[in-house]
Amino acid sequence: MTTKTLTAQNKRTTVSSLNQLIDVVSQDVSSSNSSSTRKKYQVFVTGGIGPGVTSSLFQTIFDQDFSLQTANPMFDLTVGLFSGSSTVSVASTGEDSNGKILFSSKSIMMREKINIYRQYAQLLLGNADGQFTAPFGDTLANSKVDEAMFLSFKRLFSRDGIKRETFAMKFYQTGTLSYLNAGQPKRTTLNITSQTGSAIFTDVGSSTNLQKTEMGGDVGNIEDRSNTSRTVGNIFYKEGIVVFDLSKIISGSQHVSGVIGGMRSGIAYGIPDGKVGIGTEVEQKDATYIPSLLVSASIDDIVDHLSSCRFGSDSSVIATFQNETLINSTLFFCRAGPDEFNYSSNPTYTDSTGRINVIDLNQETTQKPFTFVTTVALHNARDEVMAVAKLSRPVEKNDEKDITFRVRLDF
């Protein structure tokens, strides 16, 4: 075996990226197909009043039935409320002596919704008390995100980050209108899939106004494609998280009716026990998406509505982006000069007297030695083999050739 020591001049390091197109299908989010692709984690349980309400803190969307071993989680979906928002203040009844916010019995999971917002603010803004704004960093009052929808894409799909100016999402801003009773105004129904009023939200143009945060990394703005002056959220590329302002992507003042989990028994109008009506005759009020639904419904009820009604229910693509996989490479330039590697350590290379075996008889004095290089091995300082590179075909080496083999290690 012939070896040669490589110096720092023979080594280079580079970083490149590989992009992959990711599509999210409407049915996977709505779970309207026969298999369930949206998973709940019922970790929240009320107590003390009524039959109790169970709910998740978030739901996960899979690319196929999540009960299958081949299913891959694509992203988590949840909602959160800023503690200083009007939605929180209208539901609050004050604070106790320890500064704990108190809420009306007609609200549910308000502290959990606030804590979810704070968790994302801590992760992305570096301050749990911080507030998201759209456009990012804007100080105007109408730019502040009080009610947020969070999409957290999994590492398998976002990889080392989302590529700038590749994200797009289709979302229905209005619900499906129906009459609650004859003679009454139309209201939207929580469990009927929206068919009109869709919008496309994209990060096109984010490269020109890209900002950076110490915790969340690169940040871009999400805009309405039909009106690019209307910013509806932020996208944190490295974290693979998209933050939407619910008050901008849905018609919050739209009246809504339906049945949600509640801590009071439903005893009239066909409402089952443990459920309450929102915007129905039982409540005797005109409920709206904001603040009524966000205050009165559990996180599961809110996410169920967003997933089943606002993303459609067919086989079309409702969200797409390209991810980035960073490839760190080390290049080794292994040079074989004219006088190097022309002899083989194979025992058959020489005869019993030590003379080179030649191809043509009686040409021992005129035929020059040569070899065929098939393998390049990299050794450490202790002469231990660390990596082996196999050539696609043997390469002839003789004293008239100066050959450099480039070995690339990707990780």
Side-chain angles (χ1 to χ4, degrees):
M1 179 180 65
T2 306
T3 61
K4 183 177 181 179
T5 302
L6 298 180
T7 65
Q9 295 179 342
N10 304 120
K11 179 181 177 181
R12 293 290 184 272
T13 58
T14 63
V15 178
S16 58
S17 64
L18 177 66
N19 298 325
Q20 179 185 24
L21 178 63
I22 303 297
D23 289 334
V24 180
V25 179
S26 171
Q27 286 181 342
D28 290 339
V29 183
S30 64
S31 290
S32 60
N33 50 357
S34 58
S35 61
S36 180
T37 55
R38 183 157 47 89
K39 187 175 182 179
K40 299 180 180 181
Y41 311 88
Q42 294 185 333
V43 297
F44 173 86
V45 181
T46 59
I49 303 177
V53 176
T54 59
S55 176
S56 309
L57 298 179
F58 64 92
Q59 296 182 15
T60 302
I61 286 78
F62 287 75
D63 58 0
Q64 56 182 304
D65 186 349
F66 62 76
S67 63
L68 301 176
Q69 291 184 343
T70 55
N72 297 304
M74 292 189 292
F75 65 92
D76 295 329
L77 176 61
T78 189
V79 294
L81 300 177
F82 179 63
S83 59
S85 65
S86 59
T87 300
V88 172
S89 62
V90 297
S92 173
T93 59
E95 295 184 2
D96 63 11
S97 58
N98 296 319
K100 182 179 179 181
I101 305 178
L102 304 176
F103 293 98
S104 165
S105 61
K106 292 185 178 181
S107 66
I108 190 171
M109 297 186 73
M110 290 298 291
R111 295 188 189 92
E112 286 71 22
K113 296 167 187 174
I114 292 174
N115 288 336
I116 288 174
Y117 192 105
R118 287 173 53 85
Q119 178 184 11
Y120 277 97
Q122 177 64 50
L123 173 65
L124 302 174
L125 305 179
N127 180 11
D129 296 321
Q131 186 173 15
F132 296 98
T133 59
F136 185 80
D138 200 302
T139 58
L140 296 178
N142 60 358
S143 299
K144 296 179 179 179
V145 179
D146 289 334
E147 305 87 14
M149 179 178 75
F150 299 100
L151 277 65
S152 303
F153 288 94
K154 298 294 187 178
R155 177 74 170 79
L156 177 64
F157 290 90
S158 63
R159 300 298 175 93
D160 291 317
I162 296 176
K163 185 179 179 181
R164 293 196 297 270
E165 298 195 11
T166 64
F167 180 85
M169 187 184 80
K170 180 181 179 182
F171 193 83
Y172 289 90
Q173 299 181 99
T174 58
T176 301
L177 293 172
S178 63
Y179 287 104
L180 181 62
N181 285 309
Q184 292 189 352
K186 283 185 177 182
R187 302 178 183 180
T188 63
T189 306
L190 280 175
N191 58 356
I192 297 181
T193 303
S194 300
Q195 301 295 333
T196 60
S198 65
I200 303 296
F201 303 129
T202 75
D203 70 329
V204 172
S206 63
S207 294
T208 59
N209 56 12
L210 185 69
Q211 300 189 56
K212 292 180 180 291
T213 63
E214 183 177 352
M215 299 295 292
D218 295 345
V219 188
N221 291 322
I222 303 292
E223 299 174 346
D224 188 339
R225 189 184 68 174
S226 62
N227 181 9
T228 56
S229 63
R230 195 169 79 93
T231 305
V232 299
N234 312 133
I235 178 169
F236 294 81
Y237 294 104
K238 296 301 180 183
E239 296 291 341
I241 297 176
V242 186
V243 182
F244 283 102
D245 188 342
L246 276 174
S247 66
K248 293 180 180 179
I249 65 173
I250 69 172
S251 179
S253 60
Q254 195 174 23
H255 292 294
V256 59
S257 66
V259 176
I260 60 176
M263 294 180 289
R264 303 180 308 284
S265 299
I267 57 176
Y269 304 100
I271 297 177
D273 190 35
K275 300 287 184 178
V276 297
I278 181 170
T280 66
E281 291 177 327
V282 174
E283 289 293 300
Q284 293 294 321
K285 68 176 182 179
D286 290 328
T288 56
Y289 285 105
I290 302 175
S292 305
L293 180 65
L294 294 183
V295 170
S296 302
S298 67
I299 292 177
D300 263 350
D301 284 329
I302 299 172
V303 174
D304 282 344
H305 167 73
L306 294 174
S307 300
S308 62
C309 299
R310 302 292 181 155
F311 289 95
S313 59
D314 53 21
S315 58
S316 62
V317 174
I318 54 90
T320 182
F321 63 89
Q322 291 182 30
N323 63 24
E324 285 185 319
T325 301
L326 297 181
I327 302 175
N328 295 279
S329 303
T330 302
L331 302 177
F332 296 93
F333 296 91
C334 306
R335 179 175 178 267
D339 297 328
E340 298 176 311
F341 302 99
N342 297 325
Y343 294 85
S344 173
S345 59
N346 192 314
T348 61
Y349 195 73
T350 58
D351 58 20
S352 57
T353 63
R355 300 183 66 182
I356 298 176
N357 287 318
V358 296
I359 298 176
D360 300 320
L361 294 177
N362 301 322
Q363 297 294 321
E364 290 85 350
T365 58
T366 59
Q367 194 164 19
K368 296 181 180 180
F370 66 93
T371 59
F372 283 94
V373 181
T374 60
T375 305
V376 178
L378 299 178
H379 300 248
N380 61 14
R382 295 187 297 271
D383 205 27
E384 299 169 334
V385 177
M386 305 301 295
V388 175
K390 291 287 187 179
L391 278 64
S392 60
R393 59 179 179 81
V395 176
E396 182 182 350
K397 178 66 181 69
N398 55 48
D399 61 2
E400 295 181 354
K401 290 185 177 181
D402 186 330
I403 303 177
T404 300
F405 298 95
R406 190 184 71 168
V407 179
R408 182 187 185 116
L409 297 180
D410 295 333
F411 56 94

mmCIF file of all heavy atoms in Angstrom, residues 2-17:
data_model
loop_
_atom_site.group_PDB
_atom_site.id
_atom_site.type_symbol
_atom_site.label_atom_id
_atom_site.label_comp_id
_atom_site.label_asym_id
_atom_site.label_seq_id
_atom_site.Cartn_x
_atom_site.Cartn_y
_atom_site.Cartn_z
ATOM 1 N N THR A 2 0.570 2.179 -0.892
ATOM 2 C CA THR A 2 1.306 3.426 -0.992
ATOM 3 C C THR A 2 0.473 4.549 -0.408
ATOM 4 O O THR A 2 -0.720 4.673 -0.710
ATOM 5 C CB THR A 2 1.630 3.743 -2.465
ATOM 6 O OG1 THR A 2 2.315 2.617 -3.043
ATOM 7 C CG2 THR A 2 2.518 4.973 -2.562
ATOM 8 N N THR A 3 1.075 5.354 0.452
ATOM 9 C CA THR A 3 0.355 6.455 1.092
ATOM 10 C C THR A 3 1.059 7.771 0.830
ATOM 11 O O THR A 3 2.238 7.817 0.481
ATOM 12 C CB THR A 3 0.256 6.236 2.611
ATOM 13 O OG1 THR A 3 1.570 6.193 3.160
ATOM 14 C CG2 THR A 3 -0.477 4.943 2.929
ATOM 15 N N LYS A 4 0.310 8.858 1.057
ATOM 16 C CA LYS A 4 0.851 10.202 0.898
ATOM 17 C C LYS A 4 0.156 11.116 1.902
ATOM 18 O O LYS A 4 -1.070 11.036 2.078
ATOM 19 C CB LYS A 4 0.618 10.713 -0.528
ATOM 20 C CG LYS A 4 1.218 12.099 -0.786
ATOM 21 C CD LYS A 4 1.015 12.518 -2.231
ATOM 22 C CE LYS A 4 1.631 13.886 -2.479
ATOM 23 N NZ LYS A 4 1.473 14.308 -3.897
ATOM 24 N N THR A 5 0.905 11.965 2.557
ATOM 25 C CA THR A 5 0.350 12.880 3.556
ATOM 26 C C THR A 5 -0.286 14.079 2.876
ATOM 27 O O THR A 5 0.313 14.720 2.013
ATOM 28 C CB THR A 5 1.446 13.345 4.521
ATOM 29 O OG1 THR A 5 2.028 12.205 5.153
ATOM 30 C CG2 THR A 5 0.866 14.273 5.577
ATOM 31 N N LEU A 6 -1.542 14.397 3.275
ATOM 32 C CA LEU A 6 -2.246 15.554 2.737
ATOM 33 C C LEU A 6 -2.051 16.744 3.674
ATOM 34 O O LEU A 6 -2.148 16.604 4.894
ATOM 35 C CB LEU A 6 -3.738 15.250 2.586
ATOM 36 C CG LEU A 6 -4.111 14.114 1.638
ATOM 37 C CD1 LEU A 6 -5.617 13.930 1.600
ATOM 38 C CD2 LEU A 6 -3.591 14.395 0.225
ATOM 39 N N THR A 7 -1.812 17.898 3.121
ATOM 40 C CA THR A 7 -1.648 19.118 3.912
ATOM 41 C C THR A 7 -2.940 19.925 3.885
ATOM 42 O O THR A 7 -3.915 19.567 3.213
ATOM 43 C CB THR A 7 -0.499 19.962 3.356
ATOM 44 O OG1 THR A 7 -0.844 20.407 2.030
ATOM 45 C CG2 THR A 7 0.787 19.149 3.293
ATOM 46 N N ALA A 8 -2.944 21.051 4.616
ATOM 47 C CA ALA A 8 -4.122 21.916 4.657
ATOM 48 C C ALA A 8 -4.450 22.488 3.281
ATOM 49 O O ALA A 8 -5.603 22.811 2.987
ATOM 50 C CB ALA A 8 -3.896 23.047 5.655
ATOM 51 N N GLN A 9 -3.443 22.595 2.435
ATOM 52 C CA GLN A 9 -3.683 23.102 1.084
ATOM 53 C C GLN A 9 -4.448 22.120 0.230
ATOM 54 O O GLN A 9 -4.989 22.496 -0.809
ATOM 55 C CB GLN A 9 -2.341 23.448 0.414
ATOM 56 C CG GLN A 9 -1.594 24.585 1.098
ATOM 57 C CD GLN A 9 -0.270 24.876 0.432
ATOM 58 O OE1 GLN A 9 0.253 24.043 -0.311
ATOM 59 N NE2 GLN A 9 0.275 26.071 0.683
ATOM 60 N N ASN A 10 -4.459 20.861 0.641
ATOM 61 C CA ASN A 10 -5.177 19.835 -0.112
ATOM 62 C C ASN A 10 -6.611 19.641 0.396
ATOM 63 O O ASN A 10 -7.302 18.714 -0.031
ATOM 64 C CB ASN A 10 -4.451 18.495 -0.017
ATOM 65 C CG ASN A 10 -3.013 18.578 -0.479
ATOM 66 O OD1 ASN A 10 -2.094 18.308 0.286
ATOM 67 N ND2 ASN A 10 -2.808 18.984 -1.737
ATOM 68 N N LYS A 11 -7.084 20.516 1.286
ATOM 69 C CA LYS A 11 -8.394 20.337 1.910
ATOM 70 C C LYS A 11 -9.216 21.615 1.795
ATOM 71 O O LYS A 11 -8.720 22.707 2.015
ATOM 72 C CB LYS A 11 -8.216 19.965 3.390
ATOM 73 C CG LYS A 11 -9.504 19.763 4.159
ATOM 74 C CD LYS A 11 -9.198 19.422 5.619
ATOM 75 C CE LYS A 11 -10.457 19.282 6.451
ATOM 76 N NZ LYS A 11 -10.161 18.968 7.863
ATOM 77 N N ARG A 12 -10.482 21.471 1.426
ATOM 78 C CA ARG A 12 -11.403 22.602 1.334
ATOM 79 C C ARG A 12 -12.752 22.194 1.945
ATOM 80 O O ARG A 12 -13.155 21.039 1.849
ATOM 81 C CB ARG A 12 -11.613 23.026 -0.120
ATOM 82 C CG ARG A 12 -10.392 23.624 -0.787
ATOM 83 C CD ARG A 12 -10.064 24.998 -0.212
ATOM 84 N NE ARG A 12 -8.946 25.611 -0.918
ATOM 85 C CZ ARG A 12 -7.676 25.435 -0.611
ATOM 86 N NH1 ARG A 12 -7.350 24.627 0.407
ATOM 87 N NH2 ARG A 12 -6.718 26.029 -1.277
ATOM 88 N N THR A 13 -13.431 23.167 2.553
ATOM 89 C CA THR A 13 -14.775 22.924 3.101
ATOM 90 C C THR A 13 -15.764 23.849 2.407
ATOM 91 O O THR A 13 -15.468 25.028 2.174
ATOM 92 C CB THR A 13 -14.817 23.172 4.615
ATOM 93 O OG1 THR A 13 -14.414 24.516 4.895
ATOM 94 C CG2 THR A 13 -13.910 22.198 5.349
ATOM 95 N N THR A 14 -16.932 23.331 2.072
ATOM 96 C CA THR A 14 -17.970 24.105 1.401
ATOM 97 C C THR A 14 -19.333 23.779 2.006
ATOM 98 O O THR A 14 -19.499 22.750 2.663
ATOM 99 C CB THR A 14 -18.019 23.796 -0.109
ATOM 100 O OG1 THR A 14 -18.356 22.405 -0.296
ATOM 101 C CG2 THR A 14 -16.685 24.094 -0.777
ATOM 102 N N VAL A 15 -20.299 24.674 1.778
ATOM 103 C CA VAL A 15 -21.684 24.468 2.205
ATOM 104 C C VAL A 15 -22.585 24.708 1.002
ATOM 105 O O VAL A 15 -22.500 25.754 0.353
ATOM 106 C CB VAL A 15 -22.084 25.407 3.358
ATOM 107 C CG1 VAL A 15 -23.539 25.184 3.739
ATOM 108 C CG2 VAL A 15 -21.178 25.202 4.564
ATOM 109 N N SER A 16 -23.434 23.752 0.698
ATOM 110 C CA SER A 16 -24.395 23.883 -0.391
ATOM 111 C C SER A 16 -25.772 23.507 0.134
ATOM 112 O O SER A 16 -25.911 23.022 1.256
ATOM 113 C CB SER A 16 -24.005 22.995 -1.579
ATOM 114 O OG SER A 16 -23.916 21.634 -1.178
ATOM 115 N N SER A 17 -26.788 23.746 -0.653
ATOM 116 C CA SER A 17 -28.151 23.451 -0.217
ATOM 117 C C SER A 17 -28.871 22.626 -1.269
ATOM 118 O O SER A 17 -28.633 22.753 -2.466
ATOM 119 C CB SER A 17 -28.926 24.735 0.055
ATOM 120 O OG SER A 17 -29.073 25.496 -1.128
#
